[in-house]
Amino acid sequence: MKNPIAGGAGGAAGVEVALPHPRTSKVQARTLLENERLLAALLLAPAVLLLGTFIAYPFVMGVWLSLSSTTVGTAGTFVGLKNFGKVWNDSIFREAFWNTGFYTFWATVFKLTLGMWLAVLLNRHFRGKRLVRASMLLPFIVPTVLSTFAWRWMFDPTFSVLNWSLYKLGFITTKLPFLSDGAWGLWCAIVVNTWRGMPFFAITLLAGLQTINPDLHEAASLDGANGWKRFWHVTWPLLKPVTLVVVVFSVIQTFSDFQLIYVLTGGGPANSTHLIATYAYQIGVATGLLGEGAAISLTMLPVLFIVVWLQLRYLRRLENA
Amino acid sequence: MVTERRWKKWVFFYIPLTLFIIGTLFPFYWMFITAIRPDAELYRSWRAEQNAPFWTLHPTLAHFQDLMAKTTFPTWLWNTFFIAVASTGISLFCGLLAGYALARLRFPMAGTLGTSIFVTYLVPPTLLFIPLADIIRNFQLGNTPWALILTYPTFLIPFCTWLLMGYFKTIPKELEECARIDGASRFGAMVRIIFPIAVPGILSAGIFAFTLSWNEFIYALVFLSSPERKTVPVGVVSELIRGDIYFWGQLMAGALLGSVPVALVYSFFVEYYVTGLTGSVKG
């Protein structure tokens, strides 16, 4: 690249002045682009247009659908809150709602604790550190659907490698019903979700850990603080902001999860492991009751709203600090 | 340095780290070993005398050959790649311009706009897929790659915008000012001076967006219907399972091959990827 600053004298302005008859249209276009507001509007237009068309518009449409009796192939009429009432009295939906909370809570707890632990381990110096760090992110990189299939195969009722290993090691005498029992199935999903999401926590927290000055630990250990104490009094307070942001992202992702359950249990056995999203798919797409499906999806909104609101409030606080 | 005894190092460091590594990587090993194991060895009762559960005595590439020759898998790979590249390109373009405007230009409502773009990042696809399916139908985009190329940017643009905005803010303003004094227009200074400096940020955002597109499932599942139009994750789910029968060897071969491109891209740009990941979180 040519150095822009040194090339000043022969720059665009010089050429511009030397032209006998500058083309008016070109000049007009340039002066328009010099206008800060107009340029900003132009630069933001593509992003706003796309987000408006495919997020804001569908959102409004989703609210309308949820208040109508639309099904695939028939335009519906306005029915008010009938869909929501029906959904609320649906025992499968209630279970799905409860499952979603349970799944989100436990998966987030495990991801945070294990991710933090792993981040602290990876923050130390050892041979092959770079390779280990890079390979630890793999579960996060590989498409969820594909890695979940590997887990499904590991949980397979007949050929489960996990059952086989536990049996050979003498821990169990009969097969564990990994995916053939509702409660087991949900816990299996939590395990897979933790496995997939933990690297994200670990790597982000590791980035946070690396900004902490080691002298602080040095000083604390001179004062006689052991490992635990150093973590709680030195590391944790400094990591809190990053942790909060990661947790918010993760809660949203986990709460609205679809693909993991879709592949692992398909909501079964007997609809016992549905999440809100998988149930919305079953009713709205597989059954074709668009209005009801949209209503089920929208029940996620209050939770997401609270989480986003907390996040924004926190960001504001940071900016004002 | 904080020093410690040897046994402590084993108990608190080596053993936990080894367990983490095994736990993280075992499913990939299992994927691989299943993919190269002949069916006769795969389907054995778990109580049978197995001579080699964790490796295979007769490795075979048959599952890969079947996948490539007898299914539409190569087409899915191409579809996924094309859609990921196109939606990443669109998102980077929009994100670059929007990110620059939000970081550098003063205009009314800048804060509100920035916040609302950030909030759209927190709207999950599973909230919108039903109305979106209706909209896609009305736009006559159903079962075309465009259904995904236009909708994927909804969760990529906010991320790219946010990341690049942060990156632009770290570039000193003096650079543009000098260029402006030398007669460059606002637009010219942005394109010629600032964008080239932002290449690392653009790479980070691009790689991240690429892996996110490659990963996407629910839109692809709902908007595409014919087998030759599908992406890898959807194709594997809907075409490699016949009723209740899972072709595990082929499935695992497909999972492996479907992961290779993203893993490759990632391994070449680990640093950029991690920057994108952590940069997005710092906001």
Side-chain angles (χ1 to χ4, degrees):
Chain A
M1 200 183 92
K2 207 174 68 175
N3 184 341
I5 297 156
V15 178
E16 200 66 40
V17 174
L19 281 172
H21 305 291
R23 273 199 227 111
T24 40
S25 62
K26 216 174 170 181
V27 173
Q28 262 175 352
R30 282 198 51 174
T31 45
L32 279 179
L33 279 182
E34 286 305 299
N35 178 332
E36 211 164 348
R37 284 185 184 191
L38 201 79
L39 181 65
L42 277 175
L43 293 182
L44 284 161
V48 171
L49 199 74
L50 252 163
L51 294 177
T53 315
F54 293 107
I55 286 196
Y57 173 46
F59 185 78
V60 175
M61 180 112 168
V63 174
W64 151 246
L65 276 178
S66 71
L67 302 172
S68 76
S69 59
T70 313
T71 58
V72 170
T74 62
T77 50
F78 182 80
V79 294
L81 292 175
K82 199 177 129 198
N83 287 327
F84 288 95
K86 192 176 166 189
V87 161
W88 192 241
N89 288 322
D90 175 354
S91 63
I92 299 177
F93 170 78
R94 281 195 193 175
E95 189 164 19
F97 197 86
W98 161 251
N99 283 348
T100 309
F102 185 84
Y103 174 75
T104 306
F105 177 80
W106 284 111
T108 307
V109 167
F110 289 140
K111 280 187 279 198
L112 180 57
T113 42
L114 290 172
M116 182 69 84
W117 190 11
L118 182 58
V120 170
L121 290 175
L122 290 178
N123 198 27
R124 304 181 35 159
H125 292 288
F126 56 93
R127 220 180 299 160
K129 187 169 70 173
R130 288 176 65 108
L131 186 68
V132 170
R133 276 184 194 176
S135 62
M136 280 305 193
L137 251 183
L138 270 180
F140 187 72
I141 311 280
V142 168
T144 313
V145 169
L146 304 180
S147 55
T148 307
F149 263 115
W151 280 93
R152 178 157 185 164
W153 173 227
M154 282 158 51
F155 289 135
D156 188 82
T158 324
F159 307 105
S160 166
V161 63
L162 297 171
N163 266 335
W164 189 88
S165 311
L166 291 170
Y167 175 76
K168 282 287 175 199
L169 292 168
F171 288 118
I172 53 170
T173 50
T174 54
K175 282 184 212 175
L176 298 173
F178 286 123
L179 302 176
S180 43
D181 173 297
W184 275 90
L186 199 56
W187 277 109
C188 286
I190 290 170
V191 167
V192 180
N193 185 291
T194 303
W195 172 82
R196 188 190 173 272
M198 185 194 68
F200 168 62
F201 275 76
I203 295 296
T204 328
L205 294 172
L206 178 64
L209 281 175
Q210 285 171 336
T211 60
I212 296 174
N213 188 341
D215 294 353
L216 290 172
H217 275 271
E218 204 67 46
S221 85
L222 284 176
D223 289 338
N226 62 15
W228 264 119
K229 276 198 175 138
R230 285 205 304 271
F231 176 79
W232 282 116
H233 297 287
V234 180
T235 310
W236 176 240
L238 291 167
L239 273 189
K240 248 190 215 163
V242 178
T243 309
L244 187 95
V245 179
V246 181
V247 166
V248 165
F249 271 120
S250 172
V251 163
I252 289 173
Q253 297 268 326
T254 315
F255 195 81
S256 63
D257 199 2
F258 170 84
Q259 38 188 348
L260 201 152
I261 290 284
Y262 184 84
V263 171
L264 201 65
T265 67
N271 291 324
S272 58
T273 55
H274 268 300
L275 300 178
I276 296 172
T278 55
Y279 194 50
Y281 174 86
Q282 186 167 309
I283 297 291
V285 179
T287 318
L289 301 168
L290 290 177
E292 246 179 274
I296 294 170
S297 274
L298 279 176
T299 56
M300 285 193 251
L301 202 58
V303 175
L304 297 176
F305 187 81
I306 292 165
V307 172
V308 171
W309 180 76
L310 283 173
Q311 160 103 343
L312 285 176
R313 225 185 61 166
Y314 181 76
L315 279 177
R316 292 252 160 75
R317 269 229 323 262
L318 271 190
E319 275 168 19
N320 299 337
Chain B
M1 267 308 288
V2 183
T3 54
E4 55 184 335
R5 288 200 187 84
R6 181 167 285 229
W7 69 268
K8 264 193 164 174
K9 195 161 183 176
W10 274 98
V11 170
F12 290 110
F13 180 66
Y14 287 124
I15 294 172
L17 189 69
T18 310
L19 288 175
F20 267 117
I21 294 173
I22 293 171
T24 304
L25 300 180
F26 180 76
F28 296 116
Y29 174 75
W30 203 236
M31 227 187 245
F32 171 74
I33 212 78
T34 306
I36 60 164
R37 192 182 283 195
D39 278 342
E41 269 186 57
L42 273 182
Y43 302 118
R44 275 190 178 165
S45 165
W46 68 304
R47 287 176 193 265
E49 280 305 307
Q50 279 205 324
N51 25 16
F54 288 107
W55 55 89
T56 174
L57 301 172
H58 313 282
T60 167
L61 289 177
H63 296 308
F64 289 96
Q65 283 155 354
D66 286 355
L67 192 71
M68 288 314 222
K70 293 180 187 169
T71 71
T72 14
F73 191 84
T75 320
W76 301 337
L77 264 180
W78 166 246
N79 291 346
T80 319
F81 182 79
F82 173 70
I83 289 165
V85 169
S87 51
T88 301
I90 291 175
S91 311
L92 278 179
F93 173 78
C94 295
L96 257 179
L97 301 184
Y100 182 84
L102 291 171
R104 279 287 196 271
L105 302 177
R106 268 179 266 119
F107 56 97
M109 309 274 289
T112 319
L113 253 173
T115 307
S116 30
I117 288 183
F118 178 70
V119 168
T120 53
Y121 185 47
L122 301 172
V123 177
T126 42
L127 191 71
L128 300 176
F129 72 100
I130 292 176
L132 254 179
D134 227 29
I135 290 167
I136 294 288
R137 236 194 316 266
N138 296 340
F139 287 174
Q140 311 284 321
L141 292 172
N143 204 23
T144 65
W146 292 103
L148 303 185
I149 292 171
L150 291 173
T151 47
Y152 283 5
T154 52
F155 54 88
L156 302 176
I157 288 175
F159 167 78
C160 292
T161 306
W162 204 249
L163 191 90
L164 289 165
M165 184 176 100
Y167 203 91
F168 288 138
K169 280 183 176 164
T170 62
I171 299 173
K173 277 204 167 103
E174 289 75 24
L175 283 170
E176 278 149 294
E177 282 158 11
C178 290
R180 298 281 309 277
I181 291 164
D182 286 344
S185 63
R186 262 183 205 283
F187 189 79
M190 174 179 88
V191 174
R192 291 202 204 99
I193 314 293
I194 302 303
F195 286 1
I197 300 176
V199 163
I202 297 172
L203 257 178
S204 292
I207 288 153
F208 208 83
F210 181 84
T211 47
L212 281 178
S213 320
W214 194 279
N215 245 311
E216 206 286 327
F217 182 67
I218 192 163
Y219 286 172
L221 178 73
V222 177
F223 302 159
L224 304 173
S225 48
S226 42
E228 74 282 357
R229 288 288 170 84
K230 286 177 175 168
T231 60
V232 172
V234 180
V236 164
V237 171
S238 55
E239 310 290 319
L240 294 187
I241 303 163
R242 292 269 175 274
D244 265 352
I245 301 168
Y246 286 68
F247 295 97
W248 283 114
Q250 271 190 32
L251 268 173
M252 291 297 116
L256 215 57
L257 287 179
S259 311
V260 164
V262 255
L264 272 181
V265 167
Y266 162 72
S267 63
F268 278 114
F269 302 101
V270 174
E271 295 305 317
Y272 288 106
Y273 189 90
V274 172
T275 316
L277 189 67
T278 49
S280 69
V281 170
K282 280 176 190 154

